[in-house]
Amino acid sequence: MNAAIKNAKRPAKKLHAAARRKSGPAVAALHLLSDAEMRRIAEKIFKFSDADETEVEIGVVSDALTRFANNTIHQNVAEQVLTVSVRTVLDGQTARATTNKIDDESLRRAVAASKTLARSQPRTPGLLPMPGAQKYGNVARYFENTAYATPADRARAVARVAEMAEKNKQTAAGIFTTGVTQSAIINTKGLFASHRQTRAEFSITILESDSSGWAKANSPDLSRIDPTALARSASEKSAASRKPSEAAPGRWTVILEPAAVLDLVGFLFYDFAGTSVADQRSCFNKRMGKKVLGENITLHDDVYHPLQSGAPFDGEGIPRQKVLLVDKGVPSNLVYARATAKKMKAKPTGHGFSLPNDY
């Protein structure tokens, strides 16, 4: 389901019409699974498995990408991928095998491969039984306007951006992507967790001979992304950066955009993990409960926040909790997977990876 729109030498004013004429082959037929379909797949796997415990992860990813450079679209691709992952547990040994087919024979082979791999593994110390049925809060992160966006939809936005850049004697490059992800975790203990989410992302760099500007936004709802406004922001940054000069060493006041703040905060993500603190590799070791940041800094991890994304459950199907990480500059709480929470005598917060994992 891959196709390309190659307009490398066409001017921006012709870009929209050319993209519209050639958009058809790059549209992937979207097929998502209902909860009932995913349950049927899992039930088949359970019938094929005689392991102590069996877990099934089902994922569907449908992505489409429009890439542009030199003020023109040069690539348009789309793909849809289905994966079914089977984890078995045999007397404390566990392993996972994955397939991208859902016919009986493929599912049977995945179960057999998982069991064979599990038997070749050492027993996992402290491996907990799989969790049973859980209750999850509601998150609304699926939007049909995003799920069914076409290459022509993205091309129209890129055409406006390219025309703006040419008018300003600048060069635009970037990506515009739309897609859907679907995930489910089902096990023999009665757990069933499923999540469906759309995503759209627009990223642009505006270039001049000696300067550049950048802007980016993403959202589950395509209507919340304004490519023209993002291009205008990047254009203004590029224009303001013309004729750069060296800055003298000293103290400078810097105002960071949200994207830059996220990059900085992102370095701290794993430091809030109970595992990191237990392993003595967190920057918050011996600093929990002490003021280490400014009083104006308060951080929450809240999966239910309207601007957040992701499923309301973790890789084991445990409900994610709202956690106050930093309270007025004071690191206050950590996040835990089930096994780590048991070791550290804490409550799991729904922040575990799928098992087994490399982390």
Short mmCIF file of all heavy atoms in Angstrom, two decimals, residues 115-169:
data_model
loop_
_atom_site.label_atom_id
_atom_site.label_comp_id
_atom_site.label_asym_id
_atom_site.label_seq_id
_atom_site.Cartn_x
_atom_site.Cartn_y
_atom_site.Cartn_z
N LYS A 115 5.79 -20.79 23.60
CA LYS A 115 6.06 -21.83 24.59
C LYS A 115 7.49 -22.36 24.47
O LYS A 115 8.17 -22.57 25.48
CB LYS A 115 5.05 -22.96 24.44
CG LYS A 115 3.64 -22.61 24.87
CD LYS A 115 2.63 -23.67 24.46
CE LYS A 115 2.99 -25.02 25.01
NZ LYS A 115 2.02 -26.06 24.61
N THR A 116 7.93 -22.57 23.25
CA THR A 116 9.30 -23.05 23.04
C THR A 116 10.31 -22.06 23.59
O THR A 116 11.28 -22.43 24.27
CB THR A 116 9.56 -23.29 21.54
OG1 THR A 116 8.66 -24.29 21.06
CG2 THR A 116 10.99 -23.75 21.31
N LEU A 117 10.08 -20.78 23.31
CA LEU A 117 10.98 -19.74 23.82
C LEU A 117 10.94 -19.67 25.34
O LEU A 117 11.96 -19.49 26.00
CB LEU A 117 10.61 -18.38 23.21
CG LEU A 117 10.91 -18.19 21.72
CD1 LEU A 117 10.24 -16.93 21.20
CD2 LEU A 117 12.42 -18.12 21.50
N ALA A 118 9.73 -19.79 25.91
CA ALA A 118 9.60 -19.73 27.36
C ALA A 118 10.39 -20.85 28.03
O ALA A 118 11.07 -20.62 29.05
CB ALA A 118 8.13 -19.81 27.76
N ARG A 119 10.31 -22.04 27.48
CA ARG A 119 11.03 -23.18 28.08
C ARG A 119 12.55 -23.01 28.02
O ARG A 119 13.27 -23.63 28.78
CB ARG A 119 10.63 -24.47 27.37
CG ARG A 119 9.19 -24.90 27.64
CD ARG A 119 8.95 -26.32 27.13
NE ARG A 119 7.56 -26.73 27.34
CZ ARG A 119 6.64 -26.71 26.38
NH1 ARG A 119 6.97 -26.32 25.16
NH2 ARG A 119 5.40 -27.11 26.64
N SER A 120 13.03 -22.18 27.09
CA SER A 120 14.47 -21.96 26.97
C SER A 120 14.96 -20.82 27.85
O SER A 120 16.16 -20.55 27.91
CB SER A 120 14.83 -21.66 25.51
OG SER A 120 14.33 -20.39 25.11
N GLN A 121 14.03 -20.14 28.55
CA GLN A 121 14.40 -19.01 29.39
C GLN A 121 14.60 -19.46 30.84
O GLN A 121 13.97 -20.41 31.30
CB GLN A 121 13.31 -17.94 29.36
CG GLN A 121 12.98 -17.41 27.98
CD GLN A 121 14.15 -16.71 27.34
OE1 GLN A 121 14.82 -15.91 27.96
NE2 GLN A 121 14.41 -17.05 26.08
N PRO A 122 15.45 -18.74 31.58
CA PRO A 122 15.52 -19.00 33.03
C PRO A 122 14.24 -18.51 33.69
O PRO A 122 13.53 -17.67 33.15
CB PRO A 122 16.73 -18.17 33.48
CG PRO A 122 16.85 -17.09 32.46
CD PRO A 122 16.41 -17.69 31.15
N ARG A 123 13.93 -19.04 34.85
CA ARG A 123 12.76 -18.57 35.58
C ARG A 123 12.95 -17.10 35.96
O ARG A 123 14.02 -16.69 36.36
CB ARG A 123 12.52 -19.42 36.83
CG ARG A 123 11.96 -20.79 36.52
CD ARG A 123 11.67 -21.56 37.80
NE ARG A 123 11.01 -22.84 37.51
CZ ARG A 123 11.65 -23.93 37.17
NH1 ARG A 123 12.98 -23.93 37.09
NH2 ARG A 123 10.97 -25.04 36.90
N THR A 124 11.89 -16.35 35.83
CA THR A 124 11.94 -14.92 36.15
C THR A 124 11.68 -14.72 37.63
O THR A 124 10.57 -15.02 38.11
CB THR A 124 10.89 -14.14 35.33
OG1 THR A 124 11.11 -14.37 33.94
CG2 THR A 124 10.98 -12.65 35.63
N PRO A 125 12.68 -14.23 38.39
CA PRO A 125 12.46 -14.02 39.83
C PRO A 125 11.34 -13.01 40.06
O PRO A 125 11.30 -11.96 39.43
CB PRO A 125 13.82 -13.47 40.31
CG PRO A 125 14.80 -13.86 39.25
CD PRO A 125 14.04 -13.86 37.96
N GLY A 126 10.45 -13.35 40.94
CA GLY A 126 9.39 -12.41 41.30
C GLY A 126 8.33 -12.21 40.24
O GLY A 126 7.57 -11.23 40.29
N LEU A 127 8.24 -13.11 39.26
CA LEU A 127 7.21 -12.97 38.22
C LEU A 127 5.83 -13.10 38.86
O LEU A 127 5.52 -14.10 39.49
CB LEU A 127 7.40 -14.04 37.15
CG LEU A 127 6.40 -14.01 35.98
CD1 LEU A 127 6.59 -12.74 35.17
CD2 LEU A 127 6.55 -15.25 35.11
N LEU A 128 5.02 -12.09 38.69
CA LEU A 128 3.70 -12.07 39.30
C LEU A 128 2.66 -12.74 38.39
O LEU A 128 2.83 -12.75 37.17
CB LEU A 128 3.27 -10.62 39.57
CG LEU A 128 4.14 -9.83 40.55
CD1 LEU A 128 3.65 -8.39 40.62
CD2 LEU A 128 4.13 -10.48 41.92
N PRO A 129 1.60 -13.28 38.97
CA PRO A 129 0.51 -13.82 38.14
C PRO A 129 -0.07 -12.70 37.28
O PRO A 129 -0.05 -11.52 37.66
CB PRO A 129 -0.50 -14.32 39.17
CG PRO A 129 0.26 -14.47 40.44
CD PRO A 129 1.34 -13.43 40.41
N MET A 130 -0.60 -13.06 36.15
CA MET A 130 -1.24 -12.06 35.30
C MET A 130 -2.44 -11.46 36.02
O MET A 130 -3.13 -12.15 36.78
CB MET A 130 -1.68 -12.69 33.98
CG MET A 130 -0.54 -13.09 33.08
SD MET A 130 -1.13 -13.79 31.51
CE MET A 130 0.45 -14.23 30.74
N PRO A 131 -2.70 -10.17 35.81
CA PRO A 131 -3.85 -9.55 36.50
C PRO A 131 -5.17 -9.99 35.89
O PRO A 131 -5.25 -10.38 34.72
CB PRO A 131 -3.61 -8.05 36.26
CG PRO A 131 -2.83 -7.99 34.98
CD PRO A 131 -1.96 -9.22 34.98
N GLY A 132 -6.22 -9.93 36.71
CA GLY A 132 -7.56 -10.24 36.23
C GLY A 132 -8.23 -9.00 35.66
O GLY A 132 -7.57 -8.01 35.31
N ALA A 133 -9.55 -9.04 35.57
CA ALA A 133 -10.32 -7.95 34.98
C ALA A 133 -10.09 -6.65 35.75
O ALA A 133 -9.97 -6.65 36.98
CB ALA A 133 -11.80 -8.31 34.97
N GLN A 134 -10.02 -5.54 35.03
CA GLN A 134 -9.79 -4.22 35.62
C GLN A 134 -10.86 -3.25 35.13
O GLN A 134 -11.58 -3.51 34.17
CB GLN A 134 -8.41 -3.68 35.20
CG GLN A 134 -7.25 -4.62 35.48
CD GLN A 134 -6.90 -4.71 36.95
OE1 GLN A 134 -6.92 -3.70 37.66
NE2 GLN A 134 -6.58 -5.92 37.41
N LYS A 135 -10.95 -2.11 35.80
CA LYS A 135 -11.85 -1.04 35.38
C LYS A 135 -11.02 0.16 34.95
O LYS A 135 -10.05 0.54 35.61
CB LYS A 135 -12.79 -0.64 36.52
CG LYS A 135 -13.79 -1.72 36.90
CD LYS A 135 -14.75 -1.23 37.98
CE LYS A 135 -15.78 -2.31 38.33
NZ LYS A 135 -16.73 -1.85 39.38
N TYR A 136 -11.41 0.78 33.83
CA TYR A 136 -10.66 1.90 33.27
C TYR A 136 -11.57 3.11 33.10
O TYR A 136 -12.76 2.98 32.82
CB TYR A 136 -10.07 1.52 31.90
CG TYR A 136 -9.29 0.24 31.92
CD1 TYR A 136 -9.82 -0.93 31.35
CD2 TYR A 136 -8.04 0.16 32.51
CE1 TYR A 136 -9.11 -2.11 31.36
CE2 TYR A 136 -7.32 -1.02 32.53
CZ TYR A 136 -7.87 -2.16 31.96
OH TYR A 136 -7.17 -3.33 31.98
N GLY A 137 -10.98 4.28 33.24
CA GLY A 137 -11.69 5.51 32.94
C GLY A 137 -11.79 5.71 31.43
O GLY A 137 -11.08 5.07 30.65
N ASN A 138 -12.68 6.59 31.03
CA ASN A 138 -12.89 6.84 29.61
C ASN A 138 -11.97 7.94 29.10
O ASN A 138 -11.79 8.97 29.76
CB ASN A 138 -14.34 7.24 29.34
CG ASN A 138 -15.32 6.11 29.61
OD1 ASN A 138 -15.03 4.96 29.31
ND2 ASN A 138 -16.47 6.44 30.19
N VAL A 139 -11.37 7.71 27.94
CA VAL A 139 -10.61 8.75 27.25
C VAL A 139 -11.10 8.80 25.81
O VAL A 139 -11.27 7.76 25.17
CB VAL A 139 -9.08 8.48 27.29
CG1 VAL A 139 -8.55 8.60 28.70
CG2 VAL A 139 -8.74 7.11 26.72
N ALA A 140 -11.38 9.98 25.30
CA ALA A 140 -11.89 10.14 23.94
C ALA A 140 -10.76 10.65 23.05
O ALA A 140 -10.49 11.85 23.00
CB ALA A 140 -13.07 11.11 23.93
N ARG A 141 -10.12 9.73 22.35
CA ARG A 141 -8.96 10.12 21.54
C ARG A 141 -9.05 9.57 20.11
O ARG A 141 -8.05 9.44 19.44
CB ARG A 141 -7.68 9.64 22.22
CG ARG A 141 -7.45 10.46 23.47
CD ARG A 141 -6.30 10.07 24.31
NE ARG A 141 -6.28 10.93 25.48
CZ ARG A 141 -5.89 10.58 26.68
NH1 ARG A 141 -5.45 9.36 26.89
NH2 ARG A 141 -5.92 11.43 27.68
N TYR A 142 -10.25 9.24 19.69
CA TYR A 142 -10.45 8.77 18.33
C TYR A 142 -11.35 9.76 17.60
O TYR A 142 -12.46 10.07 18.06
CB TYR A 142 -11.09 7.39 18.32
CG TYR A 142 -11.42 6.89 16.93
CD1 TYR A 142 -10.44 6.27 16.15
CD2 TYR A 142 -12.69 7.07 16.39
CE1 TYR A 142 -10.74 5.82 14.87
CE2 TYR A 142 -12.99 6.62 15.11
CZ TYR A 142 -12.01 6.01 14.36
OH TYR A 142 -12.30 5.58 13.09
N PHE A 143 -10.86 10.27 16.45
CA PHE A 143 -11.59 11.24 15.66
C PHE A 143 -11.61 10.77 14.20
O PHE A 143 -10.56 10.58 13.59
CB PHE A 143 -10.94 12.63 15.76
CG PHE A 143 -10.96 13.22 17.14
CD1 PHE A 143 -9.98 12.89 18.07
CD2 PHE A 143 -11.97 14.08 17.53
CE1 PHE A 143 -10.00 13.42 19.35
CE2 PHE A 143 -12.00 14.61 18.82
CZ PHE A 143 -11.02 14.29 19.72
N GLU A 144 -12.82 10.61 13.66
CA GLU A 144 -12.92 10.07 12.30
C GLU A 144 -12.32 11.00 11.26
O GLU A 144 -11.81 10.54 10.24
CB GLU A 144 -14.38 9.76 11.97
CG GLU A 144 -14.93 8.56 12.72
CD GLU A 144 -16.09 7.91 12.00
OE1 GLU A 144 -16.66 8.54 11.09
OE2 GLU A 144 -16.45 6.77 12.37
N ASN A 145 -12.36 12.32 11.50
CA ASN A 145 -11.77 13.24 10.53
C ASN A 145 -10.27 12.99 10.40
O ASN A 145 -9.68 13.20 9.33
CB ASN A 145 -12.04 14.70 10.92
CG ASN A 145 -11.41 15.07 12.25
OD1 ASN A 145 -11.43 14.29 13.19
ND2 ASN A 145 -10.84 16.26 12.33
N THR A 146 -9.65 12.52 11.47
CA THR A 146 -8.23 12.19 11.44
C THR A 146 -8.02 10.80 10.83
O THR A 146 -7.15 10.60 9.98
CB THR A 146 -7.62 12.21 12.85
OG1 THR A 146 -8.00 13.42 13.51
CG2 THR A 146 -6.11 12.12 12.81
N ALA A 147 -8.84 9.85 11.25
CA ALA A 147 -8.68 8.47 10.79
C ALA A 147 -8.83 8.36 9.28
O ALA A 147 -8.12 7.57 8.63
CB ALA A 147 -9.70 7.57 11.47
N TYR A 148 -9.74 9.15 8.70
CA TYR A 148 -10.02 9.02 7.27
C TYR A 148 -9.47 10.20 6.46
O TYR A 148 -9.93 10.43 5.34
CB TYR A 148 -11.53 8.87 7.06
CG TYR A 148 -12.04 7.55 7.57
CD1 TYR A 148 -12.59 7.46 8.87
CD2 TYR A 148 -11.96 6.40 6.81
CE1 TYR A 148 -13.05 6.25 9.35
CE2 TYR A 148 -12.42 5.18 7.30
CZ TYR A 148 -12.96 5.11 8.56
OH TYR A 148 -13.41 3.91 9.05
N ALA A 149 -8.49 10.91 6.98
CA ALA A 149 -7.85 11.98 6.21
C ALA A 149 -7.17 11.38 4.99
O ALA A 149 -6.60 10.29 5.03
CB ALA A 149 -6.83 12.71 7.08
N THR A 150 -7.22 12.10 3.87
CA THR A 150 -6.69 11.60 2.60
C THR A 150 -5.41 12.34 2.23
O THR A 150 -5.11 13.42 2.77
CB THR A 150 -7.71 11.79 1.48
OG1 THR A 150 -7.87 13.21 1.24
CG2 THR A 150 -9.06 11.18 1.84
N PRO A 151 -4.65 11.80 1.27
CA PRO A 151 -3.49 12.53 0.75
C PRO A 151 -3.87 13.91 0.22
O PRO A 151 -3.11 14.87 0.37
CB PRO A 151 -2.97 11.62 -0.36
CG PRO A 151 -3.40 10.26 0.04
CD PRO A 151 -4.74 10.44 0.69
N ALA A 152 -5.06 14.01 -0.39
CA ALA A 152 -5.50 15.31 -0.90
C ALA A 152 -5.72 16.30 0.23
O ALA A 152 -5.41 17.49 0.09
CB ALA A 152 -6.78 15.13 -1.72
N ASP A 153 -6.25 15.83 1.37
CA ASP A 153 -6.43 16.72 2.53
C ASP A 153 -5.09 17.28 2.97
O ASP A 153 -4.96 18.49 3.23
CB ASP A 153 -7.06 15.95 3.70
CG ASP A 153 -8.48 15.50 3.41
OD1 ASP A 153 -9.17 16.18 2.63
OD2 ASP A 153 -8.89 14.46 3.97
N ARG A 154 -4.09 16.41 3.07
CA ARG A 154 -2.78 16.87 3.51
C ARG A 154 -2.12 17.75 2.44
O ARG A 154 -1.46 18.73 2.75
CB ARG A 154 -1.89 15.67 3.85
CG ARG A 154 -2.41 14.84 5.03
CD ARG A 154 -1.42 13.77 5.46
NE ARG A 154 -1.15 12.80 4.41
CZ ARG A 154 -1.90 11.73 4.18
NH1 ARG A 154 -2.97 11.50 4.93
NH2 ARG A 154 -1.59 10.89 3.21
N ALA A 155 -2.33 17.40 1.18
CA ALA A 155 -1.72 18.16 0.08
C ALA A 155 -2.24 19.59 0.03
O ALA A 155 -1.48 20.53 -0.26
CB ALA A 155 -1.97 17.46 -1.24
N ARG A 156 -3.53 19.78 0.31
CA ARG A 156 -4.08 21.13 0.30
C ARG A 156 -3.39 22.01 1.33
O ARG A 156 -3.07 23.17 1.07
CB ARG A 156 -5.59 21.09 0.55
CG ARG A 156 -6.41 20.71 -0.67
CD ARG A 156 -7.89 20.92 -0.41
NE ARG A 156 -8.42 19.90 0.46
CZ ARG A 156 -8.94 18.75 0.05
NH1 ARG A 156 -8.96 18.47 -1.24
NH2 ARG A 156 -9.43 17.87 0.90
N ALA A 157 -3.15 21.44 2.52
CA ALA A 157 -2.48 22.21 3.57
C ALA A 157 -1.03 22.51 3.18
O ALA A 157 -0.54 23.63 3.36
CB ALA A 157 -2.51 21.43 4.89
N VAL A 158 -0.35 21.51 2.62
CA VAL A 158 1.05 21.71 2.21
C VAL A 158 1.13 22.75 1.09
O VAL A 158 2.06 23.56 1.04
CB VAL A 158 1.68 20.38 1.77
CG1 VAL A 158 3.08 20.61 1.20
CG2 VAL A 158 1.75 19.41 2.95
N ALA A 159 0.16 22.75 0.17
CA ALA A 159 0.16 23.72 -0.93
C ALA A 159 0.10 25.15 -0.40
O ALA A 159 0.83 26.02 -0.87
CB ALA A 159 -1.00 23.44 -1.86
N ARG A 160 -0.75 25.38 0.61
CA ARG A 160 -0.85 26.72 1.19
C ARG A 160 0.47 27.13 1.84
O ARG A 160 0.91 28.28 1.72
CB ARG A 160 -1.99 26.77 2.21
CG ARG A 160 -3.38 26.66 1.59
CD ARG A 160 -4.46 26.98 2.61
NE ARG A 160 -4.54 25.98 3.67
CZ ARG A 160 -5.31 24.90 3.62
NH1 ARG A 160 -6.05 24.67 2.55
NH2 ARG A 160 -5.35 24.07 4.63
N VAL A 161 1.09 26.18 2.53
CA VAL A 161 2.37 26.45 3.19
C VAL A 161 3.45 26.75 2.16
O VAL A 161 4.25 27.68 2.32
CB VAL A 161 2.76 25.23 4.05
CG1 VAL A 161 4.22 25.29 4.46
CG2 VAL A 161 1.86 25.13 5.27
N ALA A 162 3.50 25.97 1.08
CA ALA A 162 4.51 26.17 0.05
C ALA A 162 4.35 27.52 -0.64
O ALA A 162 5.33 28.21 -0.93
CB ALA A 162 4.44 25.04 -0.96
N GLU A 163 3.10 27.89 -0.91
CA GLU A 163 2.84 29.18 -1.53
C GLU A 163 3.29 30.34 -0.64
O GLU A 163 3.85 31.34 -1.10
CB GLU A 163 1.36 29.30 -1.89
CG GLU A 163 0.95 28.40 -3.04
CD GLU A 163 -0.55 28.25 -3.18
OE1 GLU A 163 -1.28 28.91 -2.40
OE2 GLU A 163 -0.99 27.48 -4.05
N MET A 164 3.04 30.20 0.68
CA MET A 164 3.48 31.22 1.62
C MET A 164 5.00 31.33 1.61
O MET A 164 5.55 32.44 1.58
CB MET A 164 2.98 30.89 3.04
CG MET A 164 3.47 31.84 4.10
SD MET A 164 3.15 31.25 5.79
CE MET A 164 1.38 31.08 5.76
N ALA A 165 5.68 30.20 1.63
CA ALA A 165 7.14 30.22 1.64
C ALA A 165 7.70 30.87 0.38
O ALA A 165 8.63 31.69 0.45
CB ALA A 165 7.67 28.80 1.79
N GLU A 166 7.15 30.50 -0.77
CA GLU A 166 7.64 31.09 -2.02
C GLU A 166 7.39 32.59 -2.05
O GLU A 166 8.24 33.36 -2.53
CB GLU A 166 6.99 30.40 -3.21
CG GLU A 166 7.48 28.98 -3.41
CD GLU A 166 7.38 28.54 -4.86
OE1 GLU A 166 6.64 29.18 -5.63
OE2 GLU A 166 8.07 27.55 -5.20
N LYS A 167 6.25 33.02 -1.55
CA LYS A 167 5.94 34.45 -1.51
C LYS A 167 6.95 35.20 -0.65
O LYS A 167 7.33 36.34 -0.96
CB LYS A 167 4.53 34.65 -0.96
CG LYS A 167 4.07 36.09 -0.92
CD LYS A 167 2.65 36.20 -0.38
CE LYS A 167 2.20 37.65 -0.32
NZ LYS A 167 0.81 37.77 0.22
N ASN A 168 7.42 34.55 0.42
CA ASN A 168 8.40 35.18 1.33
C ASN A 168 9.84 34.88 0.91
O ASN A 168 10.78 35.20 1.65
CB ASN A 168 8.19 34.68 2.76
CG ASN A 168 6.85 35.11 3.33
OD1 ASN A 168 6.29 36.12 2.92
ND2 ASN A 168 6.33 34.33 4.26
N LYS A 169 10.00 34.25 -0.27
CA LYS A 169 11.33 33.89 -0.78
C LYS A 169 12.07 32.99 0.21
O LYS A 169 13.24 33.16 0.50
CB LYS A 169 12.15 35.14 -1.10
CG LYS A 169 11.53 35.98 -2.21
CD LYS A 169 12.38 37.20 -2.52
CE LYS A 169 11.73 38.02 -3.65
NZ LYS A 169 12.54 39.22 -3.99
#
